[in-house]
Amino acid sequence: MNTEIINDLEWRYATKKFDATKKISSRDLNTLLDVLRYTPSSYGMQPLKFLVITNSELRIKLQNASFNQAQVTEASHLIVICAHLETSANHIDEMTELMSTIRSIDIDKLKGFNNYVKSALKDLSTQEMLLWNSKQAYIALGMFLSACARLRIDSTPMEGFEPDKYDELLGLHQQGLTAILACPIGYRSEEDHYSKLKKVRKPLNTLVQFIE
Ligand SMILES: Cc1cc2nc3c(=O)[nH]c(=O)nc-3n(C[C@H](O)[C@H](O)[C@H](O)COP(=O)(O)O)c2cc1C
């Protein structure tokens, strides 16, 4: 067993109280943003946008839209993971062009891939498309939480907010986006008794089944 990985995961917890005086270095922040960038997504469509919010007035308003959870204002940075409202044919074309450029592949050779993605998504309703895009946001969250733990940066995965209010405060709909997850990051306060609690996890043998 790789104990380093497990130590990271035991170290992290959903932080309830941050030390508001401690700030994340720009080096660490850049590493974490790159982790978000490297997140895999279905067909590589990356239907996501990541907001890094430091503006204190805005964060007070966002805290009000987050059932008053103090992490939103006390953490060093607030990350909001947004999904595109839809994955349009235009977006699929843009991503295909990006692939063509980065891998130096003639765009005509990617026509099959482009059509395949378009046909896979064409029958999805607006709601189904948003759900598909949102699933990609959760992958980003998982990668992000692990990377934070590696850097000994505390984090709180958060669904506990009113997405409509976030969308309005952040002007997201105008950009074709909606807020899916929030994740305050920073350093735990000594007073956060949650940091001392044992992890509640099902035993491995009830969680994992081997099929040989
Ligand atoms: C998708 C998701 C949404 C969550 N939303 C909140 C939240 O809004 N506020 C909060 O304090 N914790 C939130 N949590 C934290 C969970 O309650 C926590 O991860 C879980 O109880 C396990 O504890 P641990 O993360 O401390 O190991 C959320 C976790 C996940 C994965």
Side-chain angles (χ1 to χ4, degrees):
M1 178 141 80
N2 184 320
T3 49
E4 257 184 61
I5 294 176
I6 302 304
N7 286 345
D8 287 355
L9 300 180
E10 281 175 347
W11 177 86
R12 68 146 297 281
Y13 73 106
T15 306
K16 308 289 181 206
K17 188 155 183 54
F18 284 87
D19 181 338
T21 66
K22 292 192 182 156
K23 301 291 171 204
I24 294 173
S25 70
S26 54
R27 184 172 185 268
D28 281 348
L29 182 65
N30 288 336
T31 305
L32 292 173
L33 298 182
D34 245 2
V35 167
L36 292 174
R37 179 173 172 256
Y38 278 110
T39 292
S41 57
S42 189
Y43 303 117
M45 286 299 115
Q46 295 176 258
L48 301 175
K49 181 109 177 187
F50 307 104
L51 310 181
V52 183
I53 307 176
T54 46
N55 181 302
S56 343
E57 284 133 55
L58 180 57
R59 280 170 61 175
I60 291 169
K61 292 181 189 154
L62 292 170
Q63 181 176 336
N64 290 335
S66 310
F67 309 103
N68 209 28
Q69 298 191 69
Q71 308 93 300
V72 173
T73 49
E74 287 176 352
S76 169
H77 292 69
L78 174 68
I79 309 297
V80 177
I81 305 180
C82 309
H84 293 191
L85 291 168
E86 58 163 356
T87 300
S88 61
N90 207 16
H91 179 74
I92 299 170
D93 288 342
E94 277 172 21
M95 293 309 293
T96 310
E97 276 158 34
L98 188 64
M99 186 186 275
S100 154
T101 309
I102 290 179
R103 293 190 171 160
S104 309
I105 305 172
D106 197 298
I107 196 85
D108 290 339
K109 294 219 168 79
L110 295 171
K111 203 90 208 107
F113 165 76
N114 182 282
N115 286 335
Y116 182 75
V117 179
K118 282 180 183 164
S119 68
L121 300 182
K122 77 173 178 358
D123 292 329
L124 298 186
S125 67
T126 317
Q127 231 175 351
E128 285 168 335
M129 198 170 273
L130 178 57
L131 178 65
W132 188 78
N133 289 348
S134 317
K135 288 177 182 173
Q136 320 306 319
Y138 284 81
I139 299 169
L141 177 74
M143 305 258 301
F144 189 70
L145 296 177
S146 300
C148 284
R150 182 93 286 251
L151 295 173
R152 294 294 182 262
I153 287 173
D154 287 295
S155 59
T156 322
M158 277 181 57
E159 272 180 330
F161 62 87
E162 296 170 83
D164 289 350
K165 291 197 178 156
Y166 266 51
D167 289 352
E168 202 184 314
L169 287 164
L170 299 166
L172 293 177
H173 278 206
Q174 298 88 305
Q175 303 177 64
L177 299 169
T178 183
I180 305 296
L181 290 156
C183 193
I185 53 173
Y187 297 94
R188 65 187 70 176
S189 157
E190 292 286 314
E191 291 159 25
D192 192 358
H193 72 274
Y194 282 88
S195 69
K196 277 127 202 144
L197 297 180
K198 281 195 171 164
K199 287 241 167 279
V200 181
R201 296 296 191 265
K202 292 179 183 178
L204 206 58
N205 63 357
T206 67
L207 206 54
V208 178
Q209 184 183 358
F210 292 95
I211 302 173
E212 290 169 346

